[in-house]
Every structure is written in C-alpha cells, then in structure tokens.
Amino acid sequence: MRTEALEKRLLKIICIILAMIGPWKAFSAPQLPEPEFSWKNVAVDGKKTAVFCIFRDSRGIMWLGTNSGLYFYDGITTHPVGETEIFGTQVYSIVEKDNRLFIGSNNGLLTYDYASGQVIESDIDSPKEIRSLLLIDDDIWVGGLNGIYKFNLNSNIITDYSKGLPHKSVYSIMRDSRGILYVGTYNGLARWDINAEMFRPLKVKADDFELSSRLFANCLLESQDKEHIYIGGEGSLYMYTPANDNWEKIALIGNNNIKSLYNGGNGHILIGTDDGVH
C-alpha cells in the first residue's frame, strides 16, 4: 500500500511539473512570420472573367467592372448587378457622385442608382467605347477610343476636347497634386493647357533611351513624393518629371503590357501586367 501511495504521489508531482513546463514551451516556440502578401482568388459567377476595374464607393462596397457586366463583392462572393440590362457589357471605369455610380463601358456612359438598384443608360448622347473616367467637382472627364469629353452633371452638357491629342484613343486620365490634368493615349501623353483650354502633346525628351515606336500610355500614376508621373506602356515603365520636362525608362517588363499602377508604400510601385503583378 505504501508503494502504491508513493507512486500516486510521484505521479501527481510529475503532472504538476508537466503542467508548468507545457505552457512555457508553447509560449517560447518560434512563430513563423506572416507573409507580406496573401492572395485569395475570388470567382466571378464561377467562370473565367476579366476584371477591368475595381472601385470602392463611399459606403465601403467593392465594385468590379468586368467583361460581362458590373458586380459587387460582399467580402465572400460576387453578385451581378443589372444583369438583364447590361448583360455582356464591358465595364472599364467607375466613379461615384450624388448616390449614383457612373459607369464607363463599351456601350457608353451608364448610371447605377442606389435607390432603385437599377443600371440605366445616361440621358446624354455619350460616346461609346469608354475606357476611363475622372470626376472633378461636378464634371466627369470621359476618355475613350474616340477622344476625350467633359460631361457636366448640372447642365447635362457634354463637350468634346479631343482636339490637340496625340492620338484620338484615350486610355487613362489623371489629375496630379497640383491640379494639372494628364491624358494617356494610344500614341503619347498630353497635358491640359488651362489658358488655351485644350490638351497639348508632351514630347519625349531623354538622353538615356530612344523611343523607337509609339508610346502607349495605358495607365498613369503620380509618385508618392509628387515629383514624377509614371507611365505604364507596352513592355516598359517610364517616368516623367514635369519640373524639368525629363523622361526616363525605369523598368522593363518583357513583352507584357502594363495594365495598372499603384503606390505600394516605401517607394515601391505595384505593376499590374497581363502576366501578373510585379
């Protein structure tokens, strides 16, 4: 009996020691570092879909412009919007104003009304094949394959400002921190001349490279220090400095087209191409 009691006592002591050691070991175990980026693939209608633009509205809702219409993402899955009205429509750009989304598509300017939940065609005779939109106060700049226009939301008047562009096909519009408007076209970059009220092409001036072919300014981004403008084109990323009118070729992306640019912090730029993110 004495031996049995002693064994029980020893077992109890061992259990107490293990209970004390166990948590200490768990706490001191090295933790694997979290990855800087983690990607989650979200299917759109369960099929292969091209997403042309992503827009977060004032309510925090994420909208997706795709090659098969407009969708919103609820954090778990995607939902089609106005499928019967815009089935098969290609949505390239989205802006928000006065409880409405203005949608740039291959079928012209469309409007999504939050109150009715419907997508309707614009009241104006807008150009087709819209590729980019930029909202400035009560005006929407509309860039597309047939030029650039300014649509005033108060008067419903649309004005053509395509004269002076280096090419009629507009793919990107950007307003820098100084309030100057830039337009990227199929063959060059143009800047708004406030005195002449027209766009003027910018000449590529650089000592370190020669532009042997057209400059396809597919996307534009102002640098974090507000000193430069990045231009994403076919196979290359360029940097334009307005202060001295200087151009530099700063990155080669092989044969890939640059589709989008984003400031990633710490001086890094995320480059979206047709072959992934760089």
Side-chain angles (χ1 to χ4, degrees):
M1 293 291 294
R2 222 184 225 184
T3 305
E4 186 177 351
L6 182 59
E7 288 176 351
K8 287 182 178 179
R9 198 172 198 188
L10 287 173
L11 182 61
K12 186 176 181 181
I13 293 171
I14 291 170
C15 289
I16 292 172
I17 293 172
L18 289 174
M20 293 174 65
I21 293 175
W24 177 82
K25 281 189 175 178
F27 178 79
S28 62
Q31 300 294 317
L32 292 175
E34 290 290 331
E36 291 186 13
F37 295 100
S38 59
W39 299 94
K40 176 185 177 183
N41 291 325
V42 178
V44 179
D45 255 4
K47 58 188 177 184
K48 189 174 182 179
T49 305
V51 178
F52 296 124
C53 66
I54 301 175
F55 178 76
R56 183 178 182 181
D57 69 11
S58 59
R59 295 165 170 81
I61 301 173
M62 299 296 294
W63 299 88
L64 309 177
T66 78
N67 63 338
S68 58
L70 179 67
Y71 291 77
F72 74 88
Y73 177 57
D74 63 7
I76 299 175
T77 187
T78 58
H79 305 271
V81 179
E83 185 175 2
T84 56
E85 299 96 324
I86 60 172
F87 179 76
T89 298
Q90 298 175 9
V91 175
Y92 291 98
S93 186
I94 304 170
V95 296
E96 178 187 10
K97 179 72 172 180
D98 297 334
N99 292 316
R100 290 179 294 173
L101 294 180
F102 292 89
I103 303 163
S105 77
N106 62 325
N107 290 326
L109 189 63
L110 308 174
T111 304
Y112 172 78
D113 181 68
Y114 283 96
S116 65
Q118 294 182 339
V119 178
I120 58 176
E121 293 185 4
S122 175
D123 295 336
I124 64 168
D125 185 18
S126 70
K128 306 298 182 183
E129 297 295 345
I130 295 172
R131 291 298 183 268
S132 56
L133 299 174
L134 178 67
L135 176 68
I136 301 177
D137 299 324
D138 292 322
D139 294 317
I140 298 178
W141 286 92
V142 181
L145 301 188
N146 299 306
I148 187 166
Y149 303 79
K150 185 171 71 172
F151 172 43
N152 184 271
L153 295 173
N154 295 325
S155 65
N156 267 7
I157 294 176
I158 189 165
T159 307
D160 188 347
Y161 284 99
S162 304
K163 182 182 178 180
L165 292 178
H167 195 279
K168 69 174 184 178
S169 295
V170 174
Y171 287 86
S172 53
I173 312 172
M174 188 202 78
R175 188 189 193 194
D176 71 7
S177 55
R178 297 174 298 165
I180 299 176
L181 198 62
Y182 291 86
V183 169
T185 77
Y186 184 71
N187 190 21
L189 184 66
R191 180 168 56 199
W192 177 251
D193 185 332
I194 192 171
N195 295 317
E197 292 193 341
M198 65 179 292
F199 287 98
R200 297 193 183 278
L202 294 177
K203 293 183 179 180
V204 179
K205 301 176 182 178
D207 297 328
D208 58 343
F209 78 95
E210 292 183 2
L211 193 64
S212 58
S213 60
R214 59 182 172 77
L215 172 62
F216 179 20
N218 196 32
C219 51
L220 304 172
L221 176 71
E222 187 176 29
S223 63
Q224 288 182 306
D225 61 11
K226 314 301 182 186
E227 298 294 328
H228 314 285
I229 295 172
Y230 296 109
I231 302 102
E234 290 181 312
S236 299
L237 178 66
Y238 302 93
M239 184 175 72
Y240 170 66
T241 305
N244 58 12
D245 207 28
N246 185 60
W247 288 77
E248 293 179 48
K249 182 185 286 187
I250 63 172
L252 296 175
I253 317 295
N255 295 320
N256 300 314
N257 294 330
I258 298 178
K259 303 292 188 180
S260 59
L261 297 170
Y262 183 77
N263 281 316
N266 298 323
H268 295 133
I269 302 173
L270 297 178
I271 305 173
T273 74
D274 49 13
D275 189 37
V277 180
H278 297 259

